[in-house]
Amino acid sequence: MAYVIETENLCKQYKETMAVSGVNMHVQKGDIYGFIGRNGAGKSTTLKMLNGLIYPSAGKIRLFGEERNQYSGRRIGALIENAGLYPHLSAYANMNLKATAMGLHQPDEIIALLSLVKLDFKSRKPVKKFSLGMKQRLGIAMALLGQPDLLILDEPINGLDPEGIREIREIITTLNEQRGMTIIISSHILGELSKVATRYGIIRAGELVEEISADDLDRKCRSYLSLVVDDPKRALVILESQVDIQDYQVIDSHEIWIYDELDSAQVNAWLVSSQVQVSQLYYQKQDLESYFLEKIGGTSNA
Amino acid sequence: MLNMMKAEIKRLWLSKGFWISLVVLTGIYVLCIVMQSNAQESMNWTNTSAPAEPGVYLTVDEVVSSLNTLATSFGFSFGILIMGIELAGFVAQEYSSGFVKQTIPLANGRSGIILSKLVVSGFLGITILFVSYGVGALLGPIFMQDFVIEPAATLFSSMVLLFLFALAFFSLETFVCTLFRNKTSGIVIDFLVASGMLLGIGQSLLAMVDLDGLATYTLSNYLMHITDEVTDISLNTVLVLFVYLIVYNGLSLWISHRRDI
């Protein structure tokens, strides 16, 4: 499997605090990888290590199948925390400076990128007069210089209005679908992330607790009929013979979750008539937010 | 790395601070030339025992009558100070704006950040020399009596030495700004070294360990006696300046490669 990013036991320690501990991340080519965690969970620290801004305390990072080298930086574009812009220069001038530093001499590319993020390339307005949304969009345009294979976005929609959020989402989707770009987005706004991500990495207190594809996550967040019975084996035999249930999961010694669509009253009737004691029966749907909050260890917004 | 150097020169060119510093330097230099010529013509010498009259004074220990003396006494001395302030802001802004996050991940980014500042320092050094000698050559013959322009070879060797001084001095500033990541630290070191205020402290500290002879080799001491150094160029001075260049840039590179952004 072709991994664009693969980390092995990645750690970062600041004095006595382990900001990142034993992260084993796997990002496949073409993924939109949603990196989720609470504030202070270690998302930005991890992304900075991937981008080479900070040194890991331990562990390895493989980018595009190789150890980091002088060419890795050209294949990665990043917007981490703030956009990193010279405030007295215009959008075009900032882009031009970075392009010069990269050895690029393509004014057309700069104009195209500024148009993509809906900024006027002719404007001489200095960046210090930009709104937060405009700075974020310019930051994305800067990250896209040189047509990177991997785009790292750290909380790109923070502080944006709904219109701005929609625009960023469209840009991300376009880049992934039309250019096949692999994208890592860290965020704690779950609703927005769920609209674009194809894979998730969930980090809690510096540890990557789970990596899961969007499809698997959907399966986990389906509605199900929860049964608590005295004899699950017998209950399953009965239900298989009656309605040929296919999709179910035995949770523990007494609980069964059935994902097939069934009439709960009929299920109860079958089991009771077969001398199976049913102590609990209800429909449950675990929504995305509850699932993530459970994983990241929060009861309020991530 | 070469591309990063080009980008930094471009950034300096776009910087309002650079052009303002250039205008200020030129203005102060011209003012000094006029004041010095008036003082020399009036033969109004004040000795240290007489009470100073109100006004703006610049103490000069000699009669300025040649381009080299004019350029080093006024142009270069003020140039180091004024362009040093600009350089401090220039270096620190890369960190304060966060643009360093754009450049560090590039090929040889951590080295490029420091070496590109050396190129900028060289550019500023050339600018100072251009103003010092250019304006001096234009206005010296007009304002100064019996003004002499030294032979080209003498001027060239003086300029090379002054260029080395500038590089060494700006390398110190770059190191301080890289270490502390703010412009105030660079401006403070600029003033302390260029004004000679650190010289007395340095001499005392070295005297405590019986190494006061080494004070002769400090940047402050060289700058305080810049006209003498230029008149009588010694290989010793050139070597010491190269050592400063290597040590300060080496330290800056070490910091850049060790520290997280």
Side-chain angles (χ1 to χ4, degrees):
Chain A
M1 187 172 293
Y3 287 123
V4 170
I5 289 179
E6 199 178 349
T7 68
E8 186 186 322
N9 203 30
L10 193 64
C11 299
K12 179 65 182 177
Q13 185 168 3
Y14 292 109
K15 292 187 182 170
E16 285 160 13
T17 305
M18 284 299 280
V20 172
S21 173
V23 166
N24 296 298
M25 183 189 258
H26 305 86
V27 180
Q28 295 171 20
K29 191 170 170 9
D31 270 347
I32 299 179
Y33 189 95
F35 197 29
I36 302 169
R38 302 178 72 175
N39 289 331
K43 302 188 296 295
S44 295
T45 305
T46 305
L47 296 181
K48 283 182 181 177
M49 283 192 279
L50 295 179
N51 197 33
L53 296 177
I54 63 178
Y55 292 109
S57 303
K60 289 183 187 167
I61 298 173
R62 292 181 70 79
L63 301 169
F64 311 102
E66 300 172 333
E67 302 273 333
R68 180 188 298 284
N69 55 51
Q70 60 174 322
Y71 303 108
S72 306
R74 278 297 300 271
R75 300 183 69 182
I76 300 175
L79 168 58
I80 297 189
E81 292 175 336
N82 58 39
L85 307 164
Y86 287 120
H88 60 289
L89 297 178
S90 67
Y92 186 90
N94 268 285
M95 295 275 288
N96 199 12
L97 269 182
K98 187 180 176 186
T100 306
M102 293 174 76
L104 300 172
H105 304 286
Q106 292 157 337
D108 290 344
E109 187 186 350
I110 296 175
I111 293 169
L113 286 172
L114 287 172
S115 300
L116 176 69
V117 299
K118 297 186 175 55
L119 288 173
D120 182 5
F121 68 91
K122 288 186 204 155
S123 170
R124 292 190 173 198
K125 189 175 177 183
V127 162
K128 63 185 173 191
K129 294 189 179 171
F130 279 16
S131 66
L132 178 59
M134 289 169 78
K135 286 180 188 172
Q136 291 288 80
R137 283 186 275 145
L138 178 56
I140 292 174
M142 298 270 281
L144 291 172
L145 266 173
Q147 298 179 22
D149 296 313
L150 169 66
L151 187 63
I152 299 175
L153 302 174
D154 184 18
E155 312 259 7
I157 58 177
N158 269 10
L160 297 185
D161 59 21
E163 179 69 21
I165 292 173
R166 188 186 61 80
E167 283 170 2
I168 299 292
R169 190 169 68 237
E170 282 173 4
I171 292 169
I172 289 168
T173 312
T174 304
L175 290 170
N176 181 253
E177 287 174 0
Q178 292 181 7
R179 300 192 196 182
M181 198 176 281
T182 308
I183 302 173
I184 300 177
I185 312 172
S186 82
S187 182
H188 51 258
I189 303 177
L190 304 173
E192 279 307 312
L193 214 50
S194 66
K195 290 176 187 169
V196 293
T198 60
R199 194 169 168 77
Y200 298 91
I202 305 170
I203 187 167
R204 180 172 74 191
E207 293 180 14
L208 194 67
V209 295
E210 186 173 15
E211 277 188 318
I212 185 169
S213 70
D215 291 339
D216 287 342
L217 185 63
D218 273 342
R219 268 193 286 278
K220 285 194 177 185
C221 295
R222 288 176 299 165
S223 57
Y224 57 88
L225 180 65
S226 171
L227 289 170
V228 177
V229 295
D230 63 337
D231 189 348
K233 277 187 190 167
R234 204 156 144 252
L236 283 171
V237 165
I238 293 163
L239 290 173
E240 279 170 354
S241 68
Q242 292 287 351
V243 286
D244 192 26
I245 57 168
Q246 304 278 340
D247 197 356
Y248 62 86
Q249 193 178 352
V250 180
I251 299 302
D252 55 32
S253 56
H254 292 285
E255 190 171 1
I256 306 168
W257 290 1
I258 303 171
Y259 296 100
D260 293 326
E261 279 195 32
L262 297 171
D263 178 355
S264 56
Q266 189 65 59
V267 166
N268 189 44
W270 286 326
L271 292 175
V272 167
S273 66
S274 303
Q275 315 298 318
V276 175
Q277 283 185 21
V278 179
S279 54
Q280 193 171 283
L281 187 153
Y282 61 88
Y283 262 105
Q284 174 70 36
K285 178 167 173 60
Q286 185 166 34
D287 66 16
L288 204 61
E289 187 172 310
S290 307
Y291 182 86
F292 283 127
L293 288 175
E294 192 184 320
K295 289 288 176 183
I296 63 180
T299 53
S300 56
N301 219 359
Chain B
M1 211 184 297
L2 203 59
N3 295 316
M4 287 180 73
M5 294 173 184
K6 285 186 205 168
E8 288 294 74
I9 294 294
K10 194 183 266 192
R11 179 162 74 97
L12 185 70
W13 202 256
L14 291 172
S15 156
K16 244 190 262 181
F18 169 68
W19 297 105
I20 292 171
S21 301
L22 189 59
V23 167
V24 168
L25 169 61
T26 309
I28 289 177
Y29 188 31
V30 169
L31 189 64
C32 288
I33 292 173
V34 170
M35 284 168 58
Q36 180 67 15
S37 76
N38 285 344
Q40 284 176 191
E41 280 172 16
S42 70
M43 300 296 287
N44 188 12
W45 308 113
T46 306
N47 64 33
T48 51
S49 60
E53 293 177 19
V56 177
Y57 289 93
L58 192 69
T59 306
V60 178
D61 293 332
E62 58 199 308
V63 172
V64 175
S65 59
S66 75
L67 181 56
N68 244 355
T69 318
L70 189 64
T72 51
S73 298
F74 300 116
F76 186 77
S77 302
F78 277 109
I80 285 286
L81 190 66
I82 294 167
M83 288 301 175
I85 294 170
E86 164 59 18
L87 180 68
F90 185 84
V91 173
Q93 194 185 38
E94 191 167 21
Y95 296 97
S96 62
S97 67
F99 199 87
V100 68
K101 291 185 289 187
Q102 308 283 359
T103 45
I104 287 260
L106 300 177
N108 301 312
R110 288 181 184 262
S111 299
I113 279 172
I114 302 301
L115 296 176
S116 61
K117 301 304 180 292
L118 184 60
V119 171
V120 168
S121 299
F123 186 84
L124 291 175
I126 290 170
T127 305
I128 293 168
L129 292 174
F130 184 76
V131 170
S132 305
Y133 282 88
V135 173
L138 276 173
L139 299 182
I142 297 169
F143 285 96
M144 307 286 191
Q145 281 181 356
D146 303 322
F147 190 75
V148 169
I149 295 180
E150 288 92 343
T154 308
L155 289 177
F156 180 74
S157 55
S158 303
M159 281 195 249
V160 168
L161 188 71
L162 290 175
F163 181 70
L164 269 178
F165 270 128
L167 279 184
F169 181 80
F170 290 148
S171 296
L172 166 62
E173 228 183 278
T174 301
F175 162 62
V176 171
C177 288
T178 303
L179 181 65
F180 294 106
R181 293 186 188 174
N182 73 58
K183 65 180 178 189
T184 307
S185 55
I187 292 171
V188 165
I189 208 76
D190 184 35
F191 270 97
L192 287 178
V193 175
S195 65
M197 286 163 65
L198 262 186
L199 184 57
I201 299 169
Q203 280 171 333
S204 306
L205 286 172
L206 288 168
M208 281 165 64
V209 291
D210 288 329
L211 288 172
D212 43 322
L214 289 180
T216 321
Y217 300 108
T218 60
L219 279 175
S220 275
N221 189 67
Y222 283 139
L223 286 168
M224 290 300 104
H225 301 98
I226 192 76
T227 45
D228 297 334
E229 295 293 338
V230 158
T231 310
D232 187 18
I233 298 173
S234 83
L235 183 63
N236 215 3
T237 306
V238 172
L239 288 172
V240 170
L241 290 175
F242 266 113
V243 168
Y244 276 126
L245 250 180
I246 292 165
V247 166
Y248 288 135
N249 284 292
L251 284 170
S252 298
L253 282 167
W254 183 77
I255 290 169
S256 179
H257 279 273
R258 295 274 300 188
R259 278 168 79 170
D260 293 336
I261 299 299

